Amino acid sequence: MTPEALRAAEHFITRNARLLDRHRFAFHFHSGPAAPVRSVLEAYRNIDDGYGNGLEPDIRGHGSQPAAVEWALRHLDELGTISQETGSSVCHYLTGITDNTGGVPPVLPNVRYTEAAPWWRERENFEAALHPTAAIAGLLHKHHISHQWRDQATAFCWTRLDALRWTDPCEAMAICTFLQHAPNRQRAEAELDRLAPMIRAVIELDPQATGYVHTPLDLASHPDHIARQLFTDAEIDKHLDALQEQQADDGGWNVNWNSWVDSATLEWRGILTVQRLLTLRAYGRIDSYLPFPVREH
């Protein structure tokens, strides 16, 4: 990626992205401090210890949602260690919305009564699911957050994985996060081997495919990701080439799904632009002259 293309991406973020993603870009690419990212994330947090308020741009209402909790943990994970205090607070919220299976759904029924994308507002299934339970549990394991909710969610994930016979891309990403950080490594690696054909079947391998598709780089966003072994070097290289080519004239990356409101689309573009840049750097497509973030311990 040329310095000019990177500057164009920075200009796009400065002009269009949320304050959160502006600070994330500064942290990752200018050795900026982590504190502003944490401060902005706190503004999305609610009194029930959950997250809402548009942190997931397609769920714009005030109330906390499990999907927003996953996003919060992923952003905090970028910065370094997630504290036991923060993890316990999140688990307190999750405990209050968890059913007797031990898992949570992506959204709660109250999403019907707020401003949200049609695919969330018109949802009818609010049963516990691997997406986002597996991703949240995986991140809690990564940061050694001890809590009863984490242990119940872990048992839920193993039970659901044992019975899994088909998946979808979003669920596959959550599964891989769980399998990457689950403490039972032998079981996790065996489960990934079993699920590999199923996961590959729902990931778009054609780098020129259009429409709402998920690519190998959406799953294996860096070379050390557990999902990287599911794809060949040639497949990854072709998708990296395509990812660079997909940078728009305004410097950002576009969403590949139908827009429901302009504000959410622009926010997603800011999120995706930071994500795409992180992926390109992780795979060596951005020169090493850029400073690396100073992660907190």
Side-chain angles (χ1 to χ4, degrees), residues 26-64:
F27 173 79
H28 287 294
F29 294 98
H30 291 308
S31 292
V37 182
R38 295 186 186 277
S39 295
V40 175
L41 274 174
E42 279 297 306
Y44 291 97
R45 197 171 185 179
N46 288 319
I47 195 170
D48 61 5
D49 288 326
Y51 290 83
N53 305 293
L55 181 57
E56 203 280 19
D58 290 328
I59 310 172
R60 307 195 68 79
H62 169 69
S64 299

mmCIF file of all heavy atoms in Angstrom, residues 26-64:
data_model
loop_
_atom_site.group_PDB
_atom_site.id
_atom_site.type_symbol
_atom_site.label_atom_id
_atom_site.label_comp_id
_atom_site.label_asym_id
_atom_site.label_seq_id
_atom_site.Cartn_x
_atom_site.Cartn_y
_atom_site.Cartn_z
ATOM 1 N N ALA A 26 -5.669 6.761 15.285
ATOM 2 C CA ALA A 26 -4.507 7.421 15.896
ATOM 3 C C ALA A 26 -3.730 6.435 16.764
ATOM 4 O O ALA A 26 -2.487 6.445 16.768
ATOM 5 C CB ALA A 26 -4.967 8.619 16.721
ATOM 6 N N PHE A 27 -4.433 5.588 17.510
ATOM 7 C CA PHE A 27 -3.768 4.601 18.363
ATOM 8 C C PHE A 27 -2.955 3.618 17.531
ATOM 9 O O PHE A 27 -1.790 3.341 17.833
ATOM 10 C CB PHE A 27 -4.815 3.859 19.194
ATOM 11 C CG PHE A 27 -4.255 2.695 19.978
ATOM 12 C CD1 PHE A 27 -3.571 2.904 21.158
ATOM 13 C CD2 PHE A 27 -4.410 1.397 19.519
ATOM 14 C CE1 PHE A 27 -3.045 1.839 21.878
ATOM 15 C CE2 PHE A 27 -3.892 0.327 20.227
ATOM 16 C CZ PHE A 27 -3.203 0.546 21.416
ATOM 17 N N HIS A 28 -3.546 3.116 16.469
ATOM 18 C CA HIS A 28 -2.906 2.060 15.687
ATOM 19 C C HIS A 28 -1.824 2.573 14.745
ATOM 20 O O HIS A 28 -0.841 1.864 14.488
ATOM 21 C CB HIS A 28 -3.959 1.304 14.875
ATOM 22 C CG HIS A 28 -4.831 0.414 15.701
ATOM 23 N ND1 HIS A 28 -4.357 -0.691 16.360
ATOM 24 C CD2 HIS A 28 -6.166 0.482 15.977
ATOM 25 C CE1 HIS A 28 -5.344 -1.286 17.002
ATOM 26 N NE2 HIS A 28 -6.442 -0.600 16.787
ATOM 27 N N PHE A 29 -1.973 3.786 14.223
ATOM 28 C CA PHE A 29 -1.081 4.224 13.156
ATOM 29 C C PHE A 29 -0.237 5.458 13.495
ATOM 30 O O PHE A 29 0.620 5.841 12.704
ATOM 31 C CB PHE A 29 -1.875 4.460 11.878
ATOM 32 C CG PHE A 29 -2.475 3.190 11.326
ATOM 33 C CD1 PHE A 29 -3.795 2.864 11.593
ATOM 34 C CD2 PHE A 29 -1.706 2.305 10.597
ATOM 35 C CE1 PHE A 29 -4.346 1.673 11.110
ATOM 36 C CE2 PHE A 29 -2.240 1.120 10.109
ATOM 37 C CZ PHE A 29 -3.557 0.805 10.368
ATOM 38 N N HIS A 30 -0.505 6.079 14.651
ATOM 39 C CA HIS A 30 0.307 7.222 15.070
ATOM 40 C C HIS A 30 0.812 7.059 16.499
ATOM 41 O O HIS A 30 1.225 8.058 17.111
ATOM 42 C CB HIS A 30 -0.494 8.522 14.954
ATOM 43 C CG HIS A 30 -0.781 8.931 13.535
ATOM 44 N ND1 HIS A 30 0.201 9.034 12.572
ATOM 45 C CD2 HIS A 30 -1.952 9.249 12.910
ATOM 46 C CE1 HIS A 30 -0.344 9.396 11.425
ATOM 47 N NE2 HIS A 30 -1.651 9.532 11.601
ATOM 48 N N SER A 31 0.772 5.836 17.021
ATOM 49 C CA SER A 31 1.172 5.579 18.406
ATOM 50 C C SER A 31 0.430 6.491 19.384
ATOM 51 O O SER A 31 0.984 6.945 20.391
ATOM 52 C CB SER A 31 2.687 5.754 18.585
ATOM 53 O OG SER A 31 3.384 4.741 17.900
ATOM 54 N N GLY A 32 -0.829 6.767 19.075
ATOM 55 C CA GLY A 32 -1.641 7.588 19.959
ATOM 56 C C GLY A 32 -1.973 6.854 21.244
ATOM 57 O O GLY A 32 -1.841 5.635 21.341
ATOM 58 N N PRO A 33 -2.420 7.583 22.256
ATOM 59 C CA PRO A 33 -2.739 6.956 23.537
ATOM 60 C C PRO A 33 -4.023 6.135 23.469
ATOM 61 O O PRO A 33 -4.907 6.399 22.656
ATOM 62 C CB PRO A 33 -2.905 8.153 24.483
ATOM 63 C CG PRO A 33 -3.332 9.270 23.582
ATOM 64 C CD PRO A 33 -2.617 9.048 22.274
ATOM 65 N N ALA A 34 -4.105 5.158 24.365
ATOM 66 C CA ALA A 34 -5.311 4.317 24.434
ATOM 67 C C ALA A 34 -6.435 5.010 25.200
ATOM 68 O O ALA A 34 -7.616 4.701 24.981
ATOM 69 C CB ALA A 34 -4.975 2.987 25.092
ATOM 70 N N ALA A 35 -6.078 5.932 26.081
ATOM 71 C CA ALA A 35 -7.076 6.541 26.958
ATOM 72 C C ALA A 35 -8.248 7.177 26.207
ATOM 73 O O ALA A 35 -9.405 7.012 26.620
ATOM 74 C CB ALA A 35 -6.410 7.566 27.878
ATOM 75 N N PRO A 36 -8.024 7.907 25.107
ATOM 76 C CA PRO A 36 -9.178 8.480 24.405
ATOM 77 C C PRO A 36 -10.131 7.421 23.852
ATOM 78 O O PRO A 36 -11.352 7.634 23.826
ATOM 79 C CB PRO A 36 -8.531 9.289 23.276
ATOM 80 C CG PRO A 36 -7.173 9.615 23.776
ATOM 81 C CD PRO A 36 -6.747 8.414 24.551
ATOM 82 N N VAL A 37 -9.598 6.291 23.400
ATOM 83 C CA VAL A 37 -10.473 5.220 22.910
ATOM 84 C C VAL A 37 -11.339 4.707 24.051
ATOM 85 O O VAL A 37 -12.554 4.525 23.908
ATOM 86 C CB VAL A 37 -9.643 4.067 22.308
ATOM 87 C CG1 VAL A 37 -10.573 2.988 21.748
ATOM 88 C CG2 VAL A 37 -8.705 4.580 21.221
ATOM 89 N N ARG A 38 -10.714 4.481 25.211
ATOM 90 C CA ARG A 38 -11.478 4.004 26.367
ATOM 91 C C ARG A 38 -12.527 5.023 26.796
ATOM 92 O O ARG A 38 -13.659 4.672 27.146
ATOM 93 C CB ARG A 38 -10.530 3.708 27.534
ATOM 94 C CG ARG A 38 -9.571 2.561 27.273
ATOM 95 C CD ARG A 38 -8.759 2.236 28.527
ATOM 96 N NE ARG A 38 -7.743 1.242 28.249
ATOM 97 C CZ ARG A 38 -7.961 -0.068 28.226
ATOM 98 N NH1 ARG A 38 -9.187 -0.525 28.456
ATOM 99 N NH2 ARG A 38 -6.975 -0.912 27.977
ATOM 100 N N SER A 39 -12.165 6.297 26.766
ATOM 101 C CA SER A 39 -13.105 7.340 27.180
ATOM 102 C C SER A 39 -14.322 7.385 26.270
ATOM 103 O O SER A 39 -15.460 7.512 26.742
ATOM 104 C CB SER A 39 -12.398 8.701 27.197
ATOM 105 O OG SER A 39 -11.382 8.728 28.171
ATOM 106 N N VAL A 40 -14.082 7.297 24.966
ATOM 107 C CA VAL A 40 -15.211 7.330 24.032
ATOM 108 C C VAL A 40 -16.078 6.087 24.202
ATOM 109 O O VAL A 40 -17.312 6.163 24.166
ATOM 110 C CB VAL A 40 -14.707 7.464 22.585
ATOM 111 C CG1 VAL A 40 -15.866 7.370 21.610
ATOM 112 C CG2 VAL A 40 -13.980 8.787 22.391
ATOM 113 N N LEU A 41 -15.454 4.934 24.410
ATOM 114 C CA LEU A 41 -16.238 3.710 24.621
ATOM 115 C C LEU A 41 -17.151 3.839 25.836
ATOM 116 O O LEU A 41 -18.260 3.293 25.849
ATOM 117 C CB LEU A 41 -15.310 2.511 24.783
ATOM 118 C CG LEU A 41 -14.861 1.814 23.500
ATOM 119 C CD1 LEU A 41 -13.829 0.733 23.829
ATOM 120 C CD2 LEU A 41 -16.034 1.216 22.748
ATOM 121 N N GLU A 42 -16.676 4.534 26.876
ATOM 122 C CA GLU A 42 -17.500 4.708 28.068
ATOM 123 C C GLU A 42 -18.803 5.444 27.756
ATOM 124 O O GLU A 42 -19.813 5.241 28.428
ATOM 125 C CB GLU A 42 -16.721 5.461 29.148
ATOM 126 C CG GLU A 42 -15.767 4.585 29.933
ATOM 127 C CD GLU A 42 -16.501 3.492 30.702
ATOM 128 O OE1 GLU A 42 -17.421 3.807 31.474
ATOM 129 O OE2 GLU A 42 -16.149 2.308 30.505
ATOM 130 N N ALA A 43 -18.772 6.298 26.745
ATOM 131 C CA ALA A 43 -19.977 7.038 26.383
ATOM 132 C C ALA A 43 -21.049 6.132 25.787
ATOM 133 O O ALA A 43 -22.230 6.498 25.767
ATOM 134 C CB ALA A 43 -19.629 8.151 25.405
ATOM 135 N N TYR A 44 -20.653 4.976 25.297
ATOM 136 C CA TYR A 44 -21.612 4.011 24.754
ATOM 137 C C TYR A 44 -22.142 3.067 25.835
ATOM 138 O O TYR A 44 -23.020 2.253 25.567
ATOM 139 C CB TYR A 44 -20.952 3.164 23.662
ATOM 140 C CG TYR A 44 -20.627 3.919 22.398
ATOM 141 C CD1 TYR A 44 -19.348 4.431 22.175
ATOM 142 C CD2 TYR A 44 -21.588 4.108 21.414
ATOM 143 C CE1 TYR A 44 -19.039 5.111 21.014
ATOM 144 C CE2 TYR A 44 -21.290 4.790 20.241
ATOM 145 C CZ TYR A 44 -20.010 5.293 20.047
ATOM 146 O OH TYR A 44 -19.706 5.969 18.889
ATOM 147 N N ARG A 45 -21.581 3.146 27.033
ATOM 148 C CA ARG A 45 -21.920 2.226 28.108
ATOM 149 C C ARG A 45 -23.142 2.718 28.865
ATOM 150 O O ARG A 45 -23.331 3.928 29.049
ATOM 151 C CB ARG A 45 -20.732 2.084 29.049
ATOM 152 C CG ARG A 45 -20.798 0.879 29.966
ATOM 153 C CD ARG A 45 -19.480 0.735 30.689
ATOM 154 N NE ARG A 45 -19.431 -0.459 31.502
ATOM 155 C CZ ARG A 45 -18.382 -0.827 32.209
ATOM 156 N NH1 ARG A 45 -17.290 -0.085 32.200
ATOM 157 N NH2 ARG A 45 -18.419 -1.925 32.934
ATOM 158 N N ASN A 46 -23.949 1.779 29.350
ATOM 159 C CA ASN A 46 -25.168 2.109 30.080
ATOM 160 C C ASN A 46 -25.038 1.759 31.550
ATOM 161 O O ASN A 46 -24.110 1.062 31.971
ATOM 162 C CB ASN A 46 -26.363 1.379 29.468
ATOM 163 C CG ASN A 46 -26.753 1.956 28.121
ATOM 164 O OD1 ASN A 46 -26.755 3.167 27.929
ATOM 165 N ND2 ASN A 46 -27.070 1.092 27.171
ATOM 166 N N ILE A 47 -25.998 2.199 32.327
ATOM 167 C CA ILE A 47 -25.970 1.987 33.756
ATOM 168 C C ILE A 47 -26.093 0.511 34.126
ATOM 169 O O ILE A 47 -25.696 0.097 35.220
ATOM 170 C CB ILE A 47 -27.085 2.818 34.440
ATOM 171 C CG1 ILE A 47 -26.839 2.896 35.946
ATOM 172 C CG2 ILE A 47 -28.457 2.246 34.105
ATOM 173 C CD1 ILE A 47 -27.753 3.883 36.656
ATOM 174 N N ASP A 48 -26.614 -0.303 33.210
ATOM 175 C CA ASP A 48 -26.737 -1.747 33.471
ATOM 176 C C ASP A 48 -25.454 -2.504 33.160
ATOM 177 O O ASP A 48 -25.425 -3.735 33.202
ATOM 178 C CB ASP A 48 -27.905 -2.338 32.677
ATOM 179 C CG ASP A 48 -27.745 -2.186 31.167
ATOM 180 O OD1 ASP A 48 -26.671 -1.710 30.709
ATOM 181 O OD2 ASP A 48 -28.686 -2.524 30.435
ATOM 182 N N ASP A 49 -24.374 -1.787 32.836
ATOM 183 C CA ASP A 49 -23.055 -2.343 32.515
ATOM 184 C C ASP A 49 -22.978 -2.934 31.108
ATOM 185 O O ASP A 49 -21.960 -3.539 30.749
ATOM 186 C CB ASP A 49 -22.602 -3.396 33.536
ATOM 187 C CG ASP A 49 -22.224 -2.776 34.870
ATOM 188 O OD1 ASP A 49 -21.697 -1.648 34.854
ATOM 189 O OD2 ASP A 49 -22.441 -3.409 35.914
ATOM 190 N N GLY A 50 -24.027 -2.761 30.331
ATOM 191 C CA GLY A 50 -23.978 -3.164 28.930
ATOM 192 C C GLY A 50 -23.608 -1.987 28.049
ATOM 193 O O GLY A 50 -23.321 -0.875 28.522
ATOM 194 N N TYR A 51 -23.611 -2.227 26.747
ATOM 195 C CA TYR A 51 -23.283 -1.185 25.774
ATOM 196 C C TYR A 51 -24.409 -1.058 24.758
ATOM 197 O O TYR A 51 -25.041 -2.044 24.378
ATOM 198 C CB TYR A 51 -21.983 -1.524 25.037
ATOM 199 C CG TYR A 51 -20.746 -1.428 25.891
ATOM 200 C CD1 TYR A 51 -20.365 -2.480 26.722
ATOM 201 C CD2 TYR A 51 -19.942 -0.285 25.872
ATOM 202 C CE1 TYR A 51 -19.224 -2.401 27.504
ATOM 203 C CE2 TYR A 51 -18.797 -0.195 26.651
ATOM 204 C CZ TYR A 51 -18.448 -1.256 27.472
ATOM 205 O OH TYR A 51 -17.320 -1.182 28.252
ATOM 206 N N GLY A 52 -24.653 0.158 24.320
ATOM 207 C CA GLY A 52 -25.664 0.440 23.304
ATOM 208 C C GLY A 52 -25.361 1.765 22.636
ATOM 209 O O GLY A 52 -24.207 2.067 22.328
ATOM 210 N N ASN A 53 -26.398 2.559 22.389
ATOM 211 C CA ASN A 53 -26.230 3.933 21.903
ATOM 212 C C ASN A 53 -25.545 4.018 20.547
ATOM 213 O O ASN A 53 -24.841 4.975 20.255
ATOM 214 C CB ASN A 53 -25.457 4.759 22.943
ATOM 215 C CG ASN A 53 -26.103 4.725 24.306
ATOM 216 O OD1 ASN A 53 -27.196 5.248 24.489
ATOM 217 N ND2 ASN A 53 -25.454 4.062 25.268
ATOM 218 N N GLY A 54 -25.740 2.981 19.714
ATOM 219 C CA GLY A 54 -25.189 3.022 18.366
ATOM 220 C C GLY A 54 -23.774 2.523 18.251
ATOM 221 O O GLY A 54 -23.150 2.717 17.206
ATOM 222 N N LEU A 55 -23.232 1.876 19.289
ATOM 223 C CA LEU A 55 -21.888 1.306 19.146
ATOM 224 C C LEU A 55 -21.867 0.312 17.998
ATOM 225 O O LEU A 55 -20.895 0.252 17.236
ATOM 226 C CB LEU A 55 -21.460 0.630 20.450
ATOM 227 C CG LEU A 55 -20.061 0.010 20.448
ATOM 228 C CD1 LEU A 55 -18.993 1.038 20.091
ATOM 229 C CD2 LEU A 55 -19.742 -0.635 21.794
ATOM 230 N N GLU A 56 -22.910 -0.495 17.871
ATOM 231 C CA GLU A 56 -23.147 -1.272 16.651
ATOM 232 C C GLU A 56 -24.001 -0.364 15.780
ATOM 233 O O GLU A 56 -25.156 -0.089 16.109
ATOM 234 C CB GLU A 56 -23.883 -2.574 16.985
ATOM 235 C CG GLU A 56 -23.705 -3.697 15.967
ATOM 236 C CD GLU A 56 -24.573 -3.597 14.729
ATOM 237 O OE1 GLU A 56 -25.077 -2.491 14.444
ATOM 238 O OE2 GLU A 56 -24.737 -4.597 14.041
ATOM 239 N N PRO A 57 -23.475 0.187 14.681
ATOM 240 C CA PRO A 57 -24.153 1.278 13.993
ATOM 241 C C PRO A 57 -25.565 0.977 13.494
ATOM 242 O O PRO A 57 -26.339 1.914 13.282
ATOM 243 C CB PRO A 57 -23.216 1.572 12.809
ATOM 244 C CG PRO A 57 -21.876 1.171 13.300
ATOM 245 C CD PRO A 57 -22.121 -0.054 14.132
ATOM 246 N N ASP A 58 -25.907 -0.284 13.313
ATOM 247 C CA ASP A 58 -27.250 -0.623 12.846
ATOM 248 C C ASP A 58 -28.243 -0.787 13.986
ATOM 249 O O ASP A 58 -29.413 -1.079 13.751
ATOM 250 C CB ASP A 58 -27.212 -1.905 12.006
ATOM 251 C CG ASP A 58 -26.525 -1.686 10.668
ATOM 252 O OD1 ASP A 58 -26.631 -0.569 10.128
ATOM 253 O OD2 ASP A 58 -25.881 -2.621 10.164
ATOM 254 N N ILE A 59 -27.782 -0.624 15.239
ATOM 255 C CA ILE A 59 -28.669 -0.654 16.405
ATOM 256 C C ILE A 59 -28.470 0.672 17.121
ATOM 257 O O ILE A 59 -27.600 0.823 17.975
ATOM 258 C CB ILE A 59 -28.344 -1.838 17.343
ATOM 259 C CG1 ILE A 59 -28.269 -3.147 16.551
ATOM 260 C CG2 ILE A 59 -29.401 -1.953 18.432
ATOM 261 C CD1 ILE A 59 -27.771 -4.327 17.362
ATOM 262 N N ARG A 60 -29.259 1.655 16.777
ATOM 263 C CA ARG A 60 -28.969 3.036 17.142
ATOM 264 C C ARG A 60 -29.659 3.473 18.436
ATOM 265 O O ARG A 60 -29.433 4.588 18.912
ATOM 266 C CB ARG A 60 -29.338 3.967 15.995
ATOM 267 C CG ARG A 60 -28.694 3.533 14.683
ATOM 268 C CD ARG A 60 -28.743 4.599 13.617
ATOM 269 N NE ARG A 60 -27.919 5.746 13.925
ATOM 270 C CZ ARG A 60 -26.586 5.775 13.763
ATOM 271 N NH1 ARG A 60 -25.942 4.692 13.322
ATOM 272 N NH2 ARG A 60 -25.912 6.849 14.048
ATOM 273 N N GLY A 61 -30.484 2.605 19.001
ATOM 274 C CA GLY A 61 -31.186 2.963 20.222
ATOM 275 C C GLY A 61 -30.272 3.012 21.432
ATOM 276 O O GLY A 61 -29.122 2.573 21.411
ATOM 277 N N HIS A 62 -30.826 3.528 22.528
ATOM 278 C CA HIS A 62 -30.049 3.710 23.762
ATOM 279 C C HIS A 62 -29.728 2.383 24.445
ATOM 280 O O HIS A 62 -28.630 2.193 24.969
ATOM 281 C CB HIS A 62 -30.838 4.606 24.717
ATOM 282 C CG HIS A 62 -30.272 4.664 26.096
ATOM 283 N ND1 HIS A 62 -29.075 5.280 26.401
ATOM 284 C CD2 HIS A 62 -30.741 4.151 27.269
ATOM 285 C CE1 HIS A 62 -28.826 5.161 27.697
ATOM 286 N NE2 HIS A 62 -29.818 4.480 28.248
ATOM 287 N N GLY A 63 -30.678 1.460 24.463
ATOM 288 C CA GLY A 63 -30.572 0.268 25.292
ATOM 289 C C GLY A 63 -29.400 -0.637 24.954
ATOM 290 O O GLY A 63 -28.928 -0.695 23.817
ATOM 291 N N SER A 64 -28.939 -1.366 25.974
ATOM 292 C CA SER A 64 -27.819 -2.292 25.801
ATOM 293 C C SER A 64 -28.246 -3.506 24.988
ATOM 294 O O SER A 64 -29.387 -3.972 25.093
ATOM 295 C CB SER A 64 -27.312 -2.759 27.169
ATOM 296 O OG SER A 64 -26.859 -1.675 27.941
#
